[in-house]
């Protein structure tokens, strides 16, 4: 059984993230989406809201599990019995960051990181852009996975 975690903040989980997980299912038997709880980051959506939105996206995909975590990513991987970390790469700007984390994780735990290049059409989508649109009351449904409803639109 090949199991990977897909860790991130997912504030919110976008169609770009969704595409990486769906493609990851071609490689892995099971993917655990880990919602990293970072106390120092100010979030728009609560962990519960993020979890609900991701659950809606994968309601008919039993090979995808969703779990919040507040420990080191490699410790989370070990807790859920995953040997791989799945990540997505949009631009060269992501590259150095992803490489340094992947190297550190492999040296500390032996856990390998598998990186998928984003599909072209999703390369510009980031949680930050989506959050900005939400704060100005814009409809963000086209940037979310199919079937996901936004709990509410927060005004700034
Ligand atoms: P983090 O805070 O750990 O960067 P994110 O929620 O921003 O978490 O992203 C999680 C993973 O998804 C990262 O590997 C990131 O590069 C990737 N990712 C983010 N947006 C996209 C996208 N539009 N297409 C593909 N991968 C993406």
């Amino acid at each position: 059984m090949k199991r990977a975690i897909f860790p991130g903040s997912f504030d919110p989980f976008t169609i770009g993230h969704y595409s990486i997980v769906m493609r990851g299912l071609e490689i892995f038997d099971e993917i655990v989406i880990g919602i990293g709880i970072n106390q120092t980051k100010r979030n728009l959506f609560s962990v519960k809201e993020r979890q609900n939105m991701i659950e809606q996206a994968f309601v008919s995909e039993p090979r995808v599990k969703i779990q919040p975590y507040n420990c080191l990513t490699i410790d989370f991987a070990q807790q859920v019995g995953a040997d791989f970390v799945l990540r997505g790469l949009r631009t060269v700007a992501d590259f150095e960051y992803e490489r340094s984390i992947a190297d550190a994780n492999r040296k500390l735990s032996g856990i390998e990181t598998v990186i998928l290049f984003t599909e072209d059409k999703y390369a510009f989508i980031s949680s930050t852009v989506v959050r900005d649109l939400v704060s100005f009351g814009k409809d963000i449904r086209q940037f979310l996975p199919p079937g996901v409803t936004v709990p509410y639109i927060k005004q700034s």
Side-chain angles (χ1 to χ4, degrees):
M1 155 84 104
K2 271 196 165 52
R3 184 182 289 130
I5 57 164
F6 182 51
S9 314
F10 307 129
D11 185 31
F13 191 90
T14 68
I15 195 162
H17 296 129
Y18 178 77
S19 159
I20 296 292
V21 173
M22 294 309 286
R23 290 165 59 209
L25 287 173
E26 303 283 327
I27 305 169
F28 301 108
D29 300 307
E30 193 175 289
I31 295 177
V32 182
I33 299 174
I35 307 172
I37 302 172
N38 185 341
Q39 313 287 6
T40 59
K41 263 194 189 174
R42 263 199 68 221
N43 296 115
L44 180 60
F45 294 103
S46 71
V47 171
K48 196 74 220 154
E49 287 166 345
R50 282 180 265 164
Q51 184 164 359
N52 287 341
M53 290 163 85
I54 303 172
E55 274 165 8
Q56 287 175 0
F58 295 104
V59 71
S60 51
E61 186 41 84
R63 292 193 295 142
V64 174
K65 316 278 181 217
I66 300 128
Q67 213 173 298
Y69 71 99
N70 58 6
C71 56
L72 211 54
T73 299
I74 45 171
D75 292 339
F76 174 64
Q78 279 163 350
Q79 276 165 27
V80 300
D83 293 321
F84 303 93
V85 175
L86 174 65
R87 296 284 286 179
L89 199 76
R90 285 164 292 188
T91 61
V92 284
D94 286 342
F95 179 83
E96 285 299 339
Y97 176 71
E98 293 295 340
R99 188 174 63 174
S100 60
I101 295 183
D103 279 349
N105 286 347
R106 193 178 52 256
K107 279 181 187 124
L108 288 167
S109 67
I111 289 175
E112 283 289 0
T113 298
V114 173
I115 305 250
L116 293 180
F117 291 103
T118 186
E119 287 182 71
D120 257 11
K121 59 185 176 191
Y122 300 140
F124 74 98
I125 299 174
S126 68
S127 298
T128 308
V129 166
V130 174
R131 277 199 307 277
D132 283 349
L133 292 171
V134 171
S135 66
F136 287 105
K138 298 291 180 202
D139 186 348
I140 55 164
R141 273 172 300 181
Q142 62 176 307
F143 301 117
L144 303 184
V148 172
T149 52
V150 186
Y152 46 85
I153 300 287
K154 288 182 184 169
Q155 302 294 332
S156 56

PDB file of all heavy atoms in Angstrom, residues 95-108:
ATOM      1  N   PHE A  95      10.323  26.599  -6.412  1.00  0.00           N
ATOM      2  CA  PHE A  95      11.308  25.518  -6.520  1.00  0.00           C
ATOM      3  C   PHE A  95      12.263  25.416  -5.336  1.00  0.00           C
ATOM      4  O   PHE A  95      12.393  24.358  -4.713  1.00  0.00           O
ATOM      5  CB  PHE A  95      12.092  25.650  -7.838  1.00  0.00           C
ATOM      6  CG  PHE A  95      13.142  24.599  -8.011  1.00  0.00           C
ATOM      7  CD1 PHE A  95      12.810  23.344  -8.499  1.00  0.00           C
ATOM      8  CD2 PHE A  95      14.467  24.846  -7.672  1.00  0.00           C
ATOM      9  CE1 PHE A  95      13.772  22.357  -8.649  1.00  0.00           C
ATOM     10  CE2 PHE A  95      15.436  23.870  -7.820  1.00  0.00           C
ATOM     11  CZ  PHE A  95      15.088  22.627  -8.310  1.00  0.00           C
ATOM     12  N   GLU A  96      12.970  26.510  -5.000  1.00  0.00           N
ATOM     13  CA  GLU A  96      13.988  26.438  -3.946  1.00  0.00           C
ATOM     14  C   GLU A  96      13.372  26.076  -2.608  1.00  0.00           C
ATOM     15  O   GLU A  96      13.944  25.309  -1.830  1.00  0.00           O
ATOM     16  CB  GLU A  96      14.750  27.771  -3.826  1.00  0.00           C
ATOM     17  CG  GLU A  96      15.758  27.994  -4.948  1.00  0.00           C
ATOM     18  CD  GLU A  96      16.857  26.921  -5.000  1.00  0.00           C
ATOM     19  OE1 GLU A  96      17.111  26.232  -3.994  1.00  0.00           O
ATOM     20  OE2 GLU A  96      17.458  26.755  -6.075  1.00  0.00           O
ATOM     21  N   TYR A  97      12.207  26.646  -2.358  1.00  0.00           N
ATOM     22  CA  TYR A  97      11.491  26.374  -1.108  1.00  0.00           C
ATOM     23  C   TYR A  97      11.160  24.887  -1.002  1.00  0.00           C
ATOM     24  O   TYR A  97      11.468  24.234  -0.003  1.00  0.00           O
ATOM     25  CB  TYR A  97      10.223  27.230  -1.099  1.00  0.00           C
ATOM     26  CG  TYR A  97       9.306  27.006   0.079  1.00  0.00           C
ATOM     27  CD1 TYR A  97       9.666  27.429   1.353  1.00  0.00           C
ATOM     28  CD2 TYR A  97       8.064  26.387  -0.100  1.00  0.00           C
ATOM     29  CE1 TYR A  97       8.817  27.226   2.432  1.00  0.00           C
ATOM     30  CE2 TYR A  97       7.207  26.188   0.963  1.00  0.00           C
ATOM     31  CZ  TYR A  97       7.584  26.601   2.231  1.00  0.00           C
ATOM     32  OH  TYR A  97       6.744  26.394   3.286  1.00  0.00           O
ATOM     33  N   GLU A  98      10.575  24.355  -2.069  1.00  0.00           N
ATOM     34  CA  GLU A  98      10.181  22.945  -2.055  1.00  0.00           C
ATOM     35  C   GLU A  98      11.406  22.037  -1.940  1.00  0.00           C
ATOM     36  O   GLU A  98      11.374  21.032  -1.247  1.00  0.00           O
ATOM     37  CB  GLU A  98       9.388  22.584  -3.325  1.00  0.00           C
ATOM     38  CG  GLU A  98       8.026  23.253  -3.417  1.00  0.00           C
ATOM     39  CD  GLU A  98       7.038  22.816  -2.330  1.00  0.00           C
ATOM     40  OE1 GLU A  98       7.227  21.739  -1.723  1.00  0.00           O
ATOM     41  OE2 GLU A  98       6.080  23.563  -2.086  1.00  0.00           O
ATOM     42  N   ARG A  99      12.489  22.418  -2.647  1.00  0.00           N
ATOM     43  CA  ARG A  99      13.669  21.559  -2.609  1.00  0.00           C
ATOM     44  C   ARG A  99      14.289  21.516  -1.221  1.00  0.00           C
ATOM     45  O   ARG A  99      14.680  20.459  -0.733  1.00  0.00           O
ATOM     46  CB  ARG A  99      14.717  22.016  -3.624  1.00  0.00           C
ATOM     47  CG  ARG A  99      15.828  20.987  -3.671  1.00  0.00           C
ATOM     48  CD  ARG A  99      16.848  21.227  -4.712  1.00  0.00           C
ATOM     49  NE  ARG A  99      17.563  22.468  -4.505  1.00  0.00           N
ATOM     50  CZ  ARG A  99      18.590  22.840  -5.235  1.00  0.00           C
ATOM     51  NH1 ARG A  99      18.975  22.079  -6.229  1.00  0.00           N
ATOM     52  NH2 ARG A  99      19.199  23.964  -5.010  1.00  0.00           N
ATOM     53  N   SER A 100      14.365  22.685  -0.547  1.00  0.00           N
ATOM     54  CA  SER A 100      15.011  22.675   0.767  1.00  0.00           C
ATOM     55  C   SER A 100      14.177  21.876   1.773  1.00  0.00           C
ATOM     56  O   SER A 100      14.733  21.127   2.584  1.00  0.00           O
ATOM     57  CB  SER A 100      15.279  24.098   1.263  1.00  0.00           C
ATOM     58  OG  SER A 100      14.073  24.796   1.377  1.00  0.00           O
ATOM     59  N   ILE A 101      12.866  21.995   1.700  1.00  0.00           N
ATOM     60  CA  ILE A 101      12.031  21.220   2.631  1.00  0.00           C
ATOM     61  C   ILE A 101      12.143  19.723   2.320  1.00  0.00           C
ATOM     62  O   ILE A 101      12.261  18.895   3.225  1.00  0.00           O
ATOM     63  CB  ILE A 101      10.556  21.662   2.548  1.00  0.00           C
ATOM     64  CG1 ILE A 101      10.439  23.099   3.032  1.00  0.00           C
ATOM     65  CG2 ILE A 101       9.661  20.756   3.386  1.00  0.00           C
ATOM     66  CD1 ILE A 101       9.031  23.590   3.059  1.00  0.00           C
ATOM     67  N   ALA A 102      12.127  19.395   1.028  1.00  0.00           N
ATOM     68  CA  ALA A 102      12.210  17.977   0.641  1.00  0.00           C
ATOM     69  C   ALA A 102      13.533  17.373   1.110  1.00  0.00           C
ATOM     70  O   ALA A 102      13.566  16.251   1.629  1.00  0.00           O
ATOM     71  CB  ALA A 102      12.061  17.843  -0.874  1.00  0.00           C
ATOM     72  N   ASP A 103      14.633  18.125   0.942  1.00  0.00           N
ATOM     73  CA  ASP A 103      15.948  17.631   1.375  1.00  0.00           C
ATOM     74  C   ASP A 103      15.981  17.414   2.880  1.00  0.00           C
ATOM     75  O   ASP A 103      16.450  16.381   3.366  1.00  0.00           O
ATOM     76  CB  ASP A 103      17.046  18.646   0.999  1.00  0.00           C
ATOM     77  CG  ASP A 103      17.461  18.503  -0.455  1.00  0.00           C
ATOM     78  OD1 ASP A 103      17.067  17.502  -1.087  1.00  0.00           O
ATOM     79  OD2 ASP A 103      18.163  19.404  -0.959  1.00  0.00           O
ATOM     80  N   ALA A 104      15.472  18.403   3.614  1.00  0.00           N
ATOM     81  CA  ALA A 104      15.467  18.301   5.081  1.00  0.00           C
ATOM     82  C   ALA A 104      14.626  17.095   5.514  1.00  0.00           C
ATOM     83  O   ALA A 104      15.060  16.294   6.350  1.00  0.00           O
ATOM     84  CB  ALA A 104      14.913  19.585   5.695  1.00  0.00           C
ATOM     85  N   ASN A 105      13.462  16.950   4.917  1.00  0.00           N
ATOM     86  CA  ASN A 105      12.580  15.843   5.312  1.00  0.00           C
ATOM     87  C   ASN A 105      13.214  14.479   5.018  1.00  0.00           C
ATOM     88  O   ASN A 105      13.113  13.560   5.816  1.00  0.00           O
ATOM     89  CB  ASN A 105      11.230  15.948   4.584  1.00  0.00           C
ATOM     90  CG  ASN A 105      10.367  17.065   5.158  1.00  0.00           C
ATOM     91  OD1 ASN A 105      10.665  17.596   6.225  1.00  0.00           O
ATOM     92  ND2 ASN A 105       9.315  17.418   4.456  1.00  0.00           N
ATOM     93  N   ARG A 106      13.885  14.382   3.884  1.00  0.00           N
ATOM     94  CA  ARG A 106      14.510  13.097   3.538  1.00  0.00           C
ATOM     95  C   ARG A 106      15.661  12.786   4.484  1.00  0.00           C
ATOM     96  O   ARG A 106      15.811  11.651   4.949  1.00  0.00           O
ATOM     97  CB  ARG A 106      14.994  13.109   2.087  1.00  0.00           C
ATOM     98  CG  ARG A 106      15.365  11.716   1.573  1.00  0.00           C
ATOM     99  CD  ARG A 106      15.803  11.709   0.118  1.00  0.00           C
ATOM    100  NE  ARG A 106      16.849  12.674  -0.127  1.00  0.00           N
ATOM    101  CZ  ARG A 106      16.672  13.850  -0.739  1.00  0.00           C
ATOM    102  NH1 ARG A 106      15.491  14.203  -1.196  1.00  0.00           N
ATOM    103  NH2 ARG A 106      17.674  14.688  -0.887  1.00  0.00           N
ATOM    104  N   LYS A 107      16.471  13.829   4.824  1.00  0.00           N
ATOM    105  CA  LYS A 107      17.608  13.588   5.726  1.00  0.00           C
ATOM    106  C   LYS A 107      17.130  13.222   7.124  1.00  0.00           C
ATOM    107  O   LYS A 107      17.722  12.405   7.810  1.00  0.00           O
ATOM    108  CB  LYS A 107      18.517  14.806   5.759  1.00  0.00           C
ATOM    109  CG  LYS A 107      19.423  14.772   4.542  1.00  0.00           C
ATOM    110  CD  LYS A 107      20.403  15.901   4.427  1.00  0.00           C
ATOM    111  CE  LYS A 107      21.079  15.780   3.071  1.00  0.00           C
ATOM    112  NZ  LYS A 107      20.944  16.983   2.260  1.00  0.00           N
ATOM    113  N   LEU A 108      16.052  13.854   7.570  1.00  0.00           N
ATOM    114  CA  LEU A 108      15.565  13.624   8.937  1.00  0.00           C
ATOM    115  C   LEU A 108      14.825  12.306   9.089  1.00  0.00           C
ATOM    116  O   LEU A 108      14.819  11.718  10.165  1.00  0.00           O
ATOM    117  CB  LEU A 108      14.622  14.763   9.358  1.00  0.00           C
ATOM    118  CG  LEU A 108      15.292  16.108   9.639  1.00  0.00           C
ATOM    119  CD1 LEU A 108      14.249  17.213   9.716  1.00  0.00           C
ATOM    120  CD2 LEU A 108      16.079  16.044  10.938  1.00  0.00           C
TER     121      LEU A 108
END
